Amino acid sequence: MAMKRSGMFALMLLLLPACIAGQGSVTAGGWSTLARLPNASQPKATGASAGPQVLNSPIVEVQLGSTSATSMFIHLSSITAPAGKVTFLITNTDTMEHELVGFATKTPAGAYPITSFEGEANRIDEDAAGTAVVDTGASLPAGTSQLLTVDLKAGHVALVCNLAGHYAAGMHADFWVY
Ligand SMILES: [Cu+2]
């Protein structure tokens, strides 16, 4: 009995790399006792059981960061997306916190007056900026990422980081939904 158990354990260890690789199933290796029916088709490479999950919405990669204390950026992998669900993969590449907020508005992202918000100077007034359609909520700590899927209507979105001083340092980007 003890021998059999250790044998099973060894077998599981052997199988482990195949599981980690995640490509296909172990039965595809040919040592399964189940015979494949002649007309059985290969499983389609879609769906949850076929490796990494595929997001159906288009993905826009967003990089938040800075090159100096007064020069900060929002970089986008695409400045457009079709209307509907859009997933933003937001990465804070910096050593400080950043956030991402997007307003549905005709105002160009860089054209907001810098006033104050929530009692803090050197921010734009989010209450007057338009409807918030993108919002990371809390700030992203340095070196972290966040996936954010939102449903967007056609039009212009002004993306900003509105932590004090960050908008003035350049953290604004225009985005268009068509
Ligand atoms: Cu910022």
Side-chain angles (χ1 to χ4, degrees):
M1 202 58 187
M3 283 293 288
K4 195 173 180 183
R5 268 199 193 165
S6 67
M8 278 296 288
F9 184 63
L11 182 60
M12 285 174 73
L13 284 179
L14 283 170
L15 289 175
L16 205 53
C19 296
I20 290 170
Q23 299 296 318
S25 66
V26 287
T27 54
W31 58 276
S32 167
T33 55
L34 290 171
R36 187 179 288 283
L37 293 171
N39 62 347
S41 58
Q42 290 287 335
K44 290 200 171 102
T46 55
S49 63
Q53 188 185 351
V54 177
L55 292 167
N56 291 320
S57 51
I59 296 178
V60 178
E61 290 176 51
V62 185
Q63 293 201 326
L64 310 175
S66 64
T67 53
S68 76
T70 54
S71 178
M72 304 181 188
F73 59 79
I74 297 175
H75 288 163
L76 305 172
S77 64
S78 172
I79 58 168
T80 62
K85 284 192 174 166
V86 179
T87 296
F88 291 92
L89 172 51
I90 307 154
T91 300
N92 181 356
T93 66
D94 217 335
T95 54
M96 68 178 89
E97 288 190 345
H98 290 292
E99 67 174 8
L100 186 71
V101 186
F103 302 98
T105 176
K106 287 183 177 167
T107 304
Y112 288 114
I114 296 166
T115 54
S116 64
F117 184 60
E118 293 174 333
E120 228 178 345
N122 210 352
R123 304 178 72 182
I124 67 165
D125 181 2
E126 293 186 21
D127 292 334
T131 305
V133 291
V134 177
D135 192 349
T136 51
S139 299
L140 275 74
T144 62
S145 294
Q146 182 179 342
L147 265 181
L148 180 64
T149 300
V150 292
D151 210 339
L152 297 177
K153 292 180 180 144
H156 171 257
V157 176
L159 293 167
V160 307
C161 172
N162 199 27
L163 300 189
H166 290 205
Y167 180 86
M171 293 197 78
H172 46 76
D174 293 296
F175 188 75
W176 287 268
V177 183
Y178 57 91

